[in-house]
């Protein structure tokens, strides 16, 4: 899959996550160079086969998740963009509230578009999200 911007690649990443689409997810990962994926409380996965296996495992459990993200920060260089976001999960048909997840997504621009080079997610606390978002909007 070719994405024309890191923002479109990130949207496609979360869409594939919501849909449980392994092939769509893996089409977004950089086919060359180093890759890294760390799911909340998980190990560091440093190759595409391990990353694929992790998404297969995650998507095997029926979840019906809806994910919204809020941008905390963004850093841009020549062919690299790093975006820190807060992921907020909800499950369709349930009223449960889930702790936010802080994620750092790194995108790399290749010859044919933008790819994910790394995704690192870790659990957060609601208070931290509110304070952090408040700081971002104040600056």
């Amino acid at each position: 899959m070719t994405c024309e911007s890191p923002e479109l690649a990130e949207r496609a990443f979360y869409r594939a996550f919501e849909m449980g689409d392994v092939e769509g997810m893996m089409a977004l990962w950089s086919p060359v160079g180093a890759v890294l994926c760390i799911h909340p409380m998980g190990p560091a996965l440093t190759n595409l086969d391990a990353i694929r296996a992790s998404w297969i495992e995650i998507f095997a459990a029926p979840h019906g998740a809806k994910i919204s993200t809020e941008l905390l920060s963004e850093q841009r260089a020549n062919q690299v963009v790093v975006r820190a976001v807060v992921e907020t999960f909800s499950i369709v048909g349930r009223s449960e509230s889930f702790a936010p997840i802080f994620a750092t997504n790194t995108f790399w621009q290749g010859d044919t578009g933008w790819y994910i080079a790394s995704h690192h997610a870790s659990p957060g606390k609601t208070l931290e999200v509110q304070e952090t978002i408040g700081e971002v909007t104040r600056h």
Side-chain angles (χ1 to χ4, degrees), residues 21 37 40 64 76 79 84 86 95 97 102 107 112 115 118 121 129 136:
D21 179 2
C37 184
R76 291 182 174 261
Q79 293 179 292
V86 176
S95 61
S97 177
F102 292 109
F107 300 92
T112 60
Y115 297 94
S118 72
V129 172
V136 170

Side-chain angles (χ1 to χ4, degrees), residues 3 5 7 33 39 47 55 72 79 83 97 135:
C3 294
S5 71
E7 295 82 7
H39 298 294
N47 67 67
W55 288 115
L72 292 175
Q79 293 179 292
R83 293 171 54 89
S97 177
E135 289 176 18

Side-chain angles (χ1 to χ4, degrees), residues 36-113:
L36 172 69
C37 184
I38 303 174
H39 298 294
M41 310 300 287
L45 307 172
T46 58
N47 67 67
L48 292 175
D49 290 337
I51 293 169
R52 174 184 290 278
S54 74
W55 288 115
I56 289 171
E57 184 177 340
I58 289 168
F59 295 159
H63 58 282
K66 291 293 178 192
I67 307 164
S68 63
T69 61
E70 184 163 353
L71 183 65
L72 292 175
S73 71
E74 180 179 90
Q75 300 296 318
R76 291 182 174 261
N78 292 333
Q79 293 179 292
V80 177
V81 172
V82 179
R83 293 171 54 89
V85 300
V86 176
E87 301 173 347
T88 304
F89 288 80
S90 61
I91 304 295
V92 176
R94 295 187 183 173
S95 61
E96 298 164 283
S97 177
F98 298 92
I101 301 293
F102 292 109
T104 303
N105 299 315
T106 305
F107 300 92
W108 169 78
Q109 186 177 28
D111 292 338
T112 60

Side-chain angles (χ1 to χ4, degrees), residues 20-33:
D21 179 2
V22 173
E23 296 309 316
M25 173 64 74
M26 294 312 299
L28 297 165
W29 284 85
S30 178
V32 298

